[in-house]
Amino acid sequence: APWHLMMSLTPSRGCLLDLPWEDILVPHILCHLPLQQLLSLQRVSKSFQSLIQLYLANMRCFDSSQIGPAIPRAAFVNLLKDNEVLQQLALQNCSDWLTDRELLPVIGQNHHLHQIQLKGCAQLSRHALVAISLSCPNLRQLSLAHCEWVDSLSLRSLADHCKALEAVDLTACRQLKDEAICYLVQKCSRLKSLSLAVNANVGDVAVEEIAKCCPELEHLDLTGCLRVKNDSIRVLAEYCPKLRSLKVKHCHNVAESSLSILRSRGVELDVEPPLQRALVLLQDVVGFAPFINLQI
């Protein structure tokens, strides 16, 4: 409805654009339109172009996926060049071309960011994470999944300056070892969600430190962390009473003997108990789930 309203009330009718731009149009009308339509609206007239530029400069949330499967480099730079009030930034659709050159100016002028999504942005460097840590003291959520350029030094910078972090995704950040993870959780004790999936360098030392430093932890992803064993899972059960989900698929050294404690508390696990796995396998083989008397 707002889109049709805008297209019908052109400047010649003297209605829409006569409304207060900053008090009415930007916060109460333009915010309901998809970003891609707003960019198209710039072509209606010079007045609309100025209005959309004002909206872009005051935009609190930028998600590149709203524009389409790919966003041109020049368009990204132009869209955010005047914005200094961003709170959420999601750039997962920019991985083909996004480098420090495009990202660092945006980070440097936006000090209110509390959510940043850089999943798969493989062409950035450790300087991007250092810039984030220095410019975004209020950061709460950060996704660096599949960003293999993340190293222990840049993660230390993040831990030193962004102590309000609540959710961090370090999936497949394969340079990171136990020592770097320990430093992060010692400094960022408010963490509620952490993913260390697909990192063969992460082991019991990191998991035990997570347990002891992060009492608010609710979600932990250790998928494919081959060095994690039962002992650290027991420590996790002891120190993290708020834990709601734990992923340990492909952690071959984690057995039911440690998981059963969490399972009895209702923690969501991504591996079935041994008996359940056996029943599923038997059902696949014979075509039905047999009745088993478990009271023997």
Side-chain angles (χ1 to χ4, degrees):
W3 168 252
H4 295 298
L5 174 65
M6 281 198 159
M7 295 308 292
S8 61
L9 297 176
T10 58
S12 61
R13 297 193 180 188
C15 294
L16 184 66
L17 293 177
D18 288 341
L19 294 171
W21 287 16
E22 293 192 38
D23 296 331
I24 301 297
L25 293 184
V26 170
H28 297 295
I29 295 181
L30 296 187
C31 64
H32 296 292
L33 298 178
L35 185 57
Q36 193 168 22
Q37 291 187 355
L38 288 174
L39 300 181
S40 300
L41 194 59
Q42 291 185 102
R43 297 194 290 268
V44 173
S45 70
K46 289 185 178 180
S47 295
F48 269 114
Q49 184 179 20
S50 298
L51 174 61
I52 300 308
Q53 289 298 320
L54 176 65
Y55 172 81
L56 293 173
N58 288 277
M59 187 167 49
R60 300 295 197 272
C61 176
F62 180 82
D63 186 343
S64 61
S65 65
Q66 293 183 2
I67 299 177
I71 173 176
R73 184 198 314 257
F76 169 79
V77 173
N78 184 61
L79 287 173
L80 296 180
K81 61 183 175 61
D82 298 322
N83 193 303
E84 298 180 358
V85 294
L86 276 178
Q87 296 179 3
Q88 301 176 39
L89 180 64
L91 301 177
Q92 61 269 34
N93 284 22
C94 306
S95 57
D96 290 342
W97 53 262
L98 185 69
T99 67
D100 293 355
R101 183 177 181 179
E102 294 80 29
L103 180 63
L104 263 57
V106 176
I107 296 299
Q109 67 192 32
N110 283 280
H111 304 292
H112 304 288
L113 281 163
H114 58 77
Q115 292 183 29
I116 299 178
Q117 162 67 267
L118 297 175
K119 180 180 179 180
C121 293
Q123 298 189 51
L124 297 173
S125 78
R126 56 183 298 273
H127 299 295
L129 186 53
V130 172
I132 288 171
S133 66
L134 296 177
S135 296
C136 308
N138 300 314
L139 195 63
R140 298 288 191 276
Q141 299 179 27
L142 176 63
S143 175
L144 298 168
H146 302 282
C147 293
E148 296 198 21
W149 44 266
V150 177
D151 61 8
S152 59
L153 195 60
S154 57
L155 193 70
R156 279 176 170 263
S157 179
L158 179 74
D160 284 335
H161 297 95
C162 300
K163 298 180 181 180
L165 278 166
E166 296 180 355
V168 180
D169 189 346
L170 298 171
T171 298
C173 293
R174 295 186 177 92
Q175 289 196 58
L176 301 178
K177 298 181 180 180
D178 282 350
E179 183 182 4
I181 303 303
C182 289
Y183 192 88
L184 174 69
V185 299
Q186 287 165 3
K187 298 285 186 175
C188 303
S189 58
R190 301 182 191 176
L191 279 174
K192 295 181 179 180
S193 177
L194 178 63
S195 175
L196 303 173
V198 200
N199 190 337
N201 293 318
V202 171
D204 285 343
V205 172
V207 175
E208 291 184 16
E209 196 67 16
I210 292 168
K212 294 175 181 178
C213 293
C214 302
E216 303 297 316
L217 191 69
E218 296 178 5
H219 306 284
L220 180 60
D221 190 346
L222 299 173
T223 304
C225 294
L226 304 178
R227 295 177 55 231
V228 173
K229 302 181 179 66
N230 284 321
D231 288 346
S232 62
I233 300 301
R234 292 191 183 97
V235 175
L236 195 68
E238 180 180 355
Y239 283 89
C240 296
K242 296 184 179 181
L243 193 67
R244 293 167 52 192
S245 71
L246 174 66
K247 294 184 178 180
V248 288
K249 187 173 286 186
H250 308 303
C251 295
H252 304 303
N253 294 313
V254 175
E256 185 63 22
S257 58
S258 60
L259 294 177
S260 60
I261 306 169
L262 293 169
R263 204 183 298 280
S264 65
R265 282 175 20 197
V267 175
E268 180 183 343
L269 302 172
D270 63 343
V271 293
E272 297 290 345
L275 177 60
Q276 185 65 34
R277 288 202 299 270
L279 289 175
V280 171
L281 179 61
L282 186 58
Q283 184 176 5
D284 290 340
V285 172
V286 302
F288 67 95
F291 171 77
I292 299 178
N293 187 350
L294 298 179
Q295 297 180 352
I296 297 176

